Amino acid sequence: MIKAVLIDDEADARFLLRNQLTTAFSDQIEIIGEAHDVSSGLTEVKRLKPDLVFLDINMPDGTGFDLLSELDTCPFEVIFVTAYDEYALKAFEFSAFGYLTKPLHSAQFKSTVESYVSRTGVENEENKVKILMDNYLGDSAVKKLVLPNNKGFEVCEINEISRIEGDRNYSNFFLTSGEKYTSSKTLGQYEKLLAEYGFFRVHQSTIINMSFVKRFRKGSGGEVELTDGSKHKVSRYRKDEFMDKFLG
C-alpha cells in the first residue's frame, strides 16, 4: 500500500483529492496525513515518511519548492497540484514530473496517479527536483530536459541535443558530445515539447535541432546534413515548412 500525504492550503482542494483517491485508488493508496501550508507540510512529511506527496505550489507561507528545499533528501514521489500557469506546466513536463491542474479533472487525475502507482521503487527525486527548480525559477527559457527510461532518467542540456530519432515507443537522443540517451517517451511527445526551442520534425522518425543544420540537398523531399555528419531525409510533406522555418 502506497502511503500518501496531501499538502494544500485550500480545504476544498484537499477534499477533492481525498475523495478521488478514495474512490479510484482505495486498494492502492492510503492517505496518512494532510497539511495546509509549508510549515505544517514539512512537519508531516518528516513525521509520517510518506511514499507519495500531493504538493500545492503556492501557499500562504511559501511554495512547494520551499518545502522541498528544506529537506536533506526527497525519498518520496511528488505530484504537484497547481493553478494553471503555462510556464510552470512546461517546467514540469521538461523535468518529467507529474502534475495536476486546478480545478481537478477526473481523467487527468486518474491517468497521472496511475502512472505513479505503476512505478516500481522510487527514482532519485532529488535530482529531478533540482532540475525542476532550475527550469521553473530560472531566468527565462527552460534549459534542461529529463529523459525517463526503464532504469531511472538522464539529464541533458537542450542546446546540446543535435537530433532525436524514434524507435517505436522510444526516442533516441544524440548529443553534440557523441553521447546517446534513450527515453521511454515517444517522438510525438518531444515534437510538441521542443517545437519552440528550434527543433523540427523533418521525417516521421526524425527530429532535428535546426541550429546544427550544415546543408540541405534538394530531392523529392530532400536531405539535410547536420554538423555531426549525419544525414536525414526530409519528408516531401514537410519540405515547405522546413524551408520556411530555416530561411524565414
Side-chain angles (χ1 to χ4, degrees), residues 219-231:
S220 60
E223 182 182 75
V224 63
E225 182 179 346
L226 303 183
T227 52
D228 63 3
S230 63
K231 298 177 181 179

Side-chain angles (χ1 to χ4, degrees), residues 2-31:
I2 297 171
K3 296 180 180 180
V5 167
L6 317 181
I7 305 174
D8 197 306
D9 65 303
E10 298 177 15
D12 288 347
R14 295 199 307 275
F15 171 80
L16 289 173
L17 270 172
R18 185 168 61 251
N19 184 59
Q20 293 204 42
L21 284 169
T22 302
T23 300
F25 299 96
S26 60
D27 60 338
Q28 296 167 298
I29 298 177
E30 177 188 2
I31 301 170

Side-chain angles (χ1 to χ4, degrees), residues 6 13 16 28 33 45 49 54 59 74 77 92 95 109 119 132 137 152-153 155 174 192 194 213 222 229 234:
L6 317 181
L16 289 173
Q28 296 167 298
V45 165
K49 297 179 174 53
F54 290 85
M59 291 176 278
C74 183
E77 298 275 11
F92 296 149
S95 306
F109 174 85
R119 293 184 182 185
L132 173 58
L137 303 175
F153 62 88
V155 179
F174 295 83
K192 295 177 182 178
L194 294 167
V213 171
V234 178

